[in-house]
Amino acid sequence: MSSHVKPPKTRLRAGRERAVSPRWRKVLRDLTSHKVRTLLVVLSIAVGVFAVAVVMGGRGVLVREFDVDYAASVPASARFETAGFDTTLAQAVARRDDVRAAEGRRRVTVRYTKGGADEGSTAGWSTMGIWALPEFERSGVLKIVREHTSSWPPNPGEVVLEKSALQTGEFSVGDTLTVETPSGSRTALRVVGFAHDINAIPAQFLGSETGFVSMKTLPLLGEPVELNHLSIVLDPALSRASASRIAADVRDTDLAHAGVRVYATDVPKPGSHFLGDIFKALALLLLAMGVMALLLSGFLVVTTMQALMSQQVRQVGIMKSVGGRRSQVAWMYLVLVTSYGVAGSVLGVATGLYAGQKLIVYAADVMNFRVTDFTPPAWVLVLDVAVGVLVPLLAAAVPVHRGTTLPVVRALNAANVVPSFGHGVVDRALGLVRGLPRPVALSLRNTFLRKGRLALTLTTLILASMVVMAVLSVRESTIRTAGDMGSWWRYDAQVFMARPLPRADLEREAARVRGVEYVESWVEAPATFDRLDGSQDLRVLGVPADSRIIAPDLVAGRWIGEAEERGVVVNTDVLKDAPHLGVGDTVVLDIRGTEQRWKIVGVSTGQLMGPTVFIDRERLDAAMSAGGTVSRLLVKTDDSTPHAQTRTATELERRLDDAGLAVSGSLTQSDQKTRLADQLGILVTFLAIMAGLLAAVGIIGLTGTMSINVLESTREIGVMRSIGASHGAIFGIYITEAVVIAAMAWAIGAVFSYPFSIWLTGALGEAMSIPLSYVFSWTGVAGWLGAVVIIAVLASLLPSWRASQVSIRDAIAYE
């Protein structure tokens, strides 16, 4: 075979190229020959699509699945805490025309410890709320979903734990729990699995776990086989006021006629979950971060596409000079941009859906709800396509139009014209700076040479920096808020009674515990009061008027006084659903079936306690006919370290147990502060995830800008190399340029982060109905400066290294 004959593969490739028109061959070569540029553009688009897919897609799935899971559980329209009754009463209530379903359960609060416990030992005890259910499979109210269980329903002596127990402890199927009931009897229960109950307060919020047993287990616990909670389901279209009227009629007719005493009645807002405020705050966070991600991704794509098109001006002129029509050239570039967009969208959506699923799983575990469908809403996919395809097309439209309408002569000379420097105000101001090393001066000049691109890059980094520093301020604010809440309480350890016990006996025994300096006891009871739109379930705390344990943060009025007749202080959670009430108003409280009128003399902050009313202990004792019994014991000691508090709580429980005084659990001041910080910290965790995502978008933007700047400065690099510039000098020029851009973004972002952090802190506090103590984090601002400098160096390492490695021959020949 002669040497001039092409091999078969070469002939085949040449034939394929001839079958494609020249302009489409250019598109293919632009995509395949300039691999670094193609990768840079695709990654820039993919990062924007990824951010939108994770944030907006995650929010859409979370909101949808939360609503679906909550509705599927058949939430109660009203709940009654009562004396004992049997299942026939629940069946009778269910037959009412205005009631769709009714179901009774029994709740027992117990102490438990893993494994066997020696008689009289209290070390390692924790608190658990156990629900005994008559029906597991056919439950029509507050449905429980079986997840991982070896037997369902549980057999006598078995317990199924609500799965949020895994948030606070290590539990496995087959574990043995020794439980102690309020009566003091102990028995062993075997864990046979886990179930999901969206209506159960997550263990990390409540500080105790929830378990489910059959009615046949109650005798083993020393409890009567009867029910003490009734839940009813009404027409969901009813207003809260209408539902309250029906609940009142059920209480006053069905329950009263059956001789069942009602201790508390709760009519929640229809369709409102008890964690609705926190979930609303979470949805607000995701929405705000989603908008920020959308803006950042848009700026990132626009910056990349404008830089890409500015490099192609001379090629446009060449194509027009050989007869290329304007429409042909425009379509060629629009197809090129569309190719970039499709590739970036595929990559961004694929990775975004995967990361979004991880975010959804984490959020669902924290908020304790099930996700059965991870498919994002259709509008999120449309938005992803818009960000990945339409935004690049719009960004390229102007430079494509400008390039295709530019006269051939100007287009041919455009590539050889470096943007002018020295005519603007900023340029002249930089010219006044003297004494800088030449590499630094050149870096400053390069930074402000392409001001349009600089503006877009800065905008991306400023937004990212603003969000990061604002999140750090929100974190400091939540820590301060937890500390402020903790300053309410001046105890070291408190113990909860399994049932009301004589105050004198408890205080006498507590005073004998080593290190105890002060003892105080409180009365606690459930209650309800009637609002304009129905009734509200709340908690009443009877505290001494001269208490040395509590120092409330009052937002209005004053604290209760000893000689005061029926004066109460309510917290802001009470007024959240009753905004018409205030200091001086009178409320009717139903405390354990007895209605009495009380006057509001003060309003305190919420403290994540739920609706709570504070009453003088002696007044509440008389109103309840408690006979000097209390349900909570609080002590101050001579050592307030966390370890000493834990030791005191353990010794208190042991001494009271030895004295025959039944205890249901304990809590230290240190643990309470930690619990408050953890509850507030959940939102900060989501904020940190979102801030990290936005910071990543900004980093990719800076890397892209530096890479494009290096490509456009290739000839300039060759000139510097030809006159003796070293590899290190060129490397330093572009590192310095990146650091200057990052430092500018940090400075401007720090200014904007202050008002943004105020808004974000206030929005979170309002969504959670907790006024957060605002703190601007100067430490966060300083820390982000160090971080952003390091990020700038890392982001420019590869572009700077490529710049330093360009040979003189390649640089001069670069087109």
Side-chain angles (χ1 to χ4, degrees):
M1 185 179 294
S2 61
S3 59
H4 68 277
V5 178
K6 296 181 179 180
K9 289 186 177 180
T10 304
R11 292 200 306 270
L12 180 61
R13 186 182 304 112
R16 288 176 178 173
E17 291 186 353
R18 284 195 298 270
V20 181
S21 63
R23 65 177 184 273
W24 302 127
R25 288 205 300 271
K26 180 186 183 309
V27 172
L28 291 174
R29 287 178 179 175
D30 277 343
L31 289 171
T32 57
S33 299
H34 302 278
K35 295 181 176 62
V36 174
R37 186 178 66 191
T38 298
L39 179 63
L40 175 64
V41 176
V42 170
L43 282 178
S44 298
I45 296 172
V47 168
V49 174
F50 172 85
V52 174
V54 171
V55 181
M56 290 300 198
R59 180 183 182 275
V61 172
L62 286 173
V63 172
R64 181 193 67 211
E65 294 298 303
F66 184 86
D67 291 340
V68 168
D69 191 28
Y70 184 55
S73 72
V74 192
S77 305
R79 291 185 178 187
F80 306 90
E81 181 183 346
T82 70
F85 65 92
D86 56 26
T87 56
T88 58
L89 177 59
Q91 295 167 358
V93 173
R95 288 194 292 268
R96 287 177 55 119
D97 294 336
D98 50 5
V99 174
R100 294 191 171 186
E103 185 176 284
R105 298 180 178 183
R106 183 171 187 85
R107 177 179 172 84
V108 184
T109 301
V110 302
R111 290 193 303 170
Y112 78 92
T113 186
K114 281 189 177 181
D118 296 332
E119 196 69 28
S121 173
T122 57
W125 288 102
S126 301
T127 305
M128 177 182 293
I130 290 183
W131 290 97
L133 279 64
E135 296 285 349
F136 277 80
E137 297 288 357
R138 294 178 294 178
S139 176
V141 185
L142 304 173
K143 290 185 176 180
I144 302 168
V145 180
R146 174 184 182 179
E147 292 209 339
H148 308 288
T149 60
S150 58
S151 60
W152 187 263
N155 297 312
E158 297 178 343
V159 60
V160 174
L161 299 180
E162 208 288 319
K163 71 171 186 177
S164 67
L166 298 173
Q167 298 172 349
T168 57
E170 296 181 0
F171 297 93
S172 302
V173 174
D175 286 348
T176 298
L177 305 181
T178 297
V179 301
E180 180 183 272
T181 62
S183 62
S185 64
R186 294 184 180 181
T187 189
L189 297 180
R190 190 169 68 91
V191 177
V192 294
F194 300 90
H196 167 65
D197 181 8
I198 193 175
N199 294 286
I201 301 177
Q204 65 177 353
F205 288 97
L206 186 61
S208 63
E209 293 75 29
T210 299
F212 306 100
V213 300
S214 67
M215 297 295 290
K216 295 179 179 179
T217 299
L218 289 176
L220 301 178
L221 298 174
E223 292 287 314
V225 184
E226 57 184 17
L227 313 173
N228 59 9
H229 281 73
L230 177 68
S231 301
I232 62 173
V233 177
L234 308 175
D235 185 347
L238 291 175
S239 66
R240 195 175 193 179
S242 299
S244 295
R245 285 193 291 270
I246 296 174
D249 188 58
V250 170
R251 178 192 62 200
D252 298 336
T253 56
D254 299 81
L255 300 182
H257 291 169
V260 176
R261 187 175 183 181
V262 177
Y263 299 129
T265 303
D266 179 33
V267 182
K269 185 182 298 183
S272 177
H273 190 269
F274 58 85
L275 290 181
D277 287 343
I278 294 181
F279 191 78
K280 183 170 62 174
L282 173 60
L284 173 68
L285 287 181
L286 292 176
L287 180 60
M289 296 299 106
V291 173
M292 299 296 293
L294 186 59
L295 290 175
L296 261 66
S297 62
F299 283 122
L300 181 61
V301 172
V302 168
T303 302
T304 305
M305 296 312 305
Q306 288 189 351
L308 171 68
M309 295 309 303
S310 67
Q311 294 179 344
Q312 300 278 324
V313 175
R314 189 180 184 190
Q315 297 183 29
V316 171
I318 293 173
M319 287 184 286
K320 291 178 67 176
S321 68
V322 296
R325 295 193 302 273
R326 174 186 170 188
S327 60
Q328 291 176 319
V329 176
W331 272 109
M332 181 186 68
Y333 280 103
L334 292 178
V335 170
L336 175 65
V337 172
T338 302
S339 301
Y340 288 136
V342 170
S345 297
V346 171
L347 179 60
V349 169
T351 55
L353 291 180
Y354 176 79
Q357 181 173 334
K358 297 297 183 183
L359 175 66
I360 292 165
V361 169
Y362 172 75
D365 285 343
V366 170
M367 301 299 292
N368 195 35
F369 65 93
R370 298 171 70 242
V371 178
T372 57
D373 183 5
F374 289 93
T375 306
W379 64 266
V380 173
L381 298 178
V382 172
L383 187 61
D384 283 334
V385 172
V387 172
V389 179
L390 296 183
V391 171
L393 284 174
L394 293 174
V398 173
V400 166
H401 174 76
R402 185 173 61 243
T404 55
T405 56
L406 198 67
V408 173
V409 175
R410 291 183 59 189
L412 292 175
N413 293 326
N416 297 321
V417 177
V418 178
S420 61
F421 182 86
H423 301 291
V425 176
V426 176
D427 299 346
R428 291 195 295 271
L430 289 174
L432 299 176
V433 180
R434 302 291 187 227
L436 293 176
R438 286 190 175 183
V440 175
L442 186 57
S443 299
L444 291 175
R445 175 249 188 196
N446 286 346
T447 299
F448 292 94
L449 187 61
R450 301 168 179 85
K451 296 179 179 62
R453 184 182 306 163
L454 174 63
L456 289 173
T457 304
L458 274 178
T459 301
T460 305
L461 284 173
I462 287 169
L463 289 174
S465 297
M466 178 186 73
V467 172
V468 170
M469 287 184 278
V471 168
L472 293 173
S473 292
V474 173
R475 177 180 177 275
E476 291 291 330
S477 299
T478 57
I479 293 174
R480 170 71 63 83
T481 302
D484 291 346
M485 288 181 173
S487 66
W488 258 57
W489 311 104
R490 299 178 179 178
Y491 68 91
D492 290 314
Q494 61 174 314
V495 178
F496 307 97
M497 305 301 110
R499 58 184 181 274
L501 295 171
R503 183 174 72 200
D505 294 344
L506 291 170
E507 293 183 353
R508 181 185 65 251
E509 295 298 329
R512 295 174 178 172
V513 173
R514 180 183 53 177
V516 170
E517 294 183 338
Y518 175 73
V519 180
E520 190 171 295
S521 55
W522 292 2
V523 181
E524 182 175 1
T528 60
F529 88 99
D530 292 331
R531 300 185 311 268
L532 295 177
D533 61 346
S535 63
Q536 180 176 4
D537 197 26
L538 45 80
R539 175 174 54 172
V540 174
L541 284 179
V543 303
D546 59 348
S547 173
R548 293 164 53 184
I549 293 295
I550 185 172
D553 180 16
L554 296 175
V555 298
R558 56 180 175 78
W559 187 240
I560 53 178
E562 288 184 4
E564 194 151 36
E565 288 289 342
R566 302 195 179 282
V568 301
V569 171
V570 300
N571 68 2
T572 51
D573 288 335
V574 174
L575 303 185
K576 182 175 64 176
D577 290 327
H580 61 285
L581 292 178
V583 175
D585 291 331
T586 299
V587 293
V588 178
L589 298 180
D590 185 335
I591 304 174
R592 290 196 172 275
T594 302
E595 292 187 351
Q596 294 185 357
R597 300 172 67 85
W598 302 82
K599 181 181 178 181
I600 299 175
V601 299
V603 179
S604 69
T605 54
Q607 293 281 308
L608 292 176
M609 296 172 61
T612 304
V613 176
F614 300 94
I615 302 177
D616 176 64
R617 183 180 61 190
E618 309 306 324
R619 300 291 178 190
L620 182 59
D621 183 282
M624 295 173 53
S625 300
T629 59
V630 295
S631 51
R632 189 184 298 197
L633 185 70
L634 306 96
V635 301
K636 287 180 63 67
T637 67
D638 56 6
D639 187 351
S640 296
T641 61
H643 176 72
Q645 290 179 359
T646 302
R647 184 186 66 242
T648 299
T650 301
E651 291 181 1
L652 272 173
E653 288 193 62
R654 181 179 294 114
R655 174 165 286 277
L656 296 177
D657 274 338
D658 291 343
L661 302 171
V663 173
S664 65
S666 62
L667 180 69
T668 66
Q669 168 74 315
S670 176
D671 289 341
Q672 176 160 323
K673 287 183 178 180
T674 301
R675 186 183 300 174
L676 289 172
D678 289 345
Q679 291 178 18
L680 294 174
I682 290 172
L683 296 178
V684 178
T685 300
F686 283 101
L687 276 174
I689 293 173
M690 297 300 103
L693 181 61
L694 298 186
V697 176
I699 293 168
I700 294 294
L702 179 59
T703 305
T705 296
M706 294 306 303
S707 298
I708 293 170
N709 287 351
V710 168
L711 287 174
E712 292 183 350
S713 302
T714 301
R715 285 198 171 189
E716 184 179 347
I717 294 170
V719 172
M720 289 188 291
R721 291 291 308 281
S722 67
I723 60 176
S726 65
H727 292 286
I730 295 175
F731 188 85
I733 288 171
Y734 290 98
I735 290 287
T736 304
E737 181 180 347
V739 171
V740 169
I741 294 174
M744 292 171 59
W746 168 83
I748 301 173
V751 173
F752 285 106
S753 71
Y754 179 72
F756 182 66
S757 63
I758 292 177
W759 173 83
L760 189 57
T761 302
L764 288 179
E766 183 177 352
M768 296 175 61
S769 300
I770 301 172
L772 300 180
S773 303
Y774 175 74
V775 178
F776 185 70
S777 177
W778 292 104
T779 303
V781 171
W784 181 244
L785 173 61
V788 80
V789 170
I790 295 173
I791 288 171
V793 172
L794 295 177
S796 59
L797 279 179
L798 180 59
S800 300
W801 182 82
R802 288 176 59 85
S804 67
Q805 299 303 306
V806 173
S807 66
I808 297 175
R809 184 186 65 183
D810 292 341
I812 300 301
Y814 178 76
E815 289 289 342

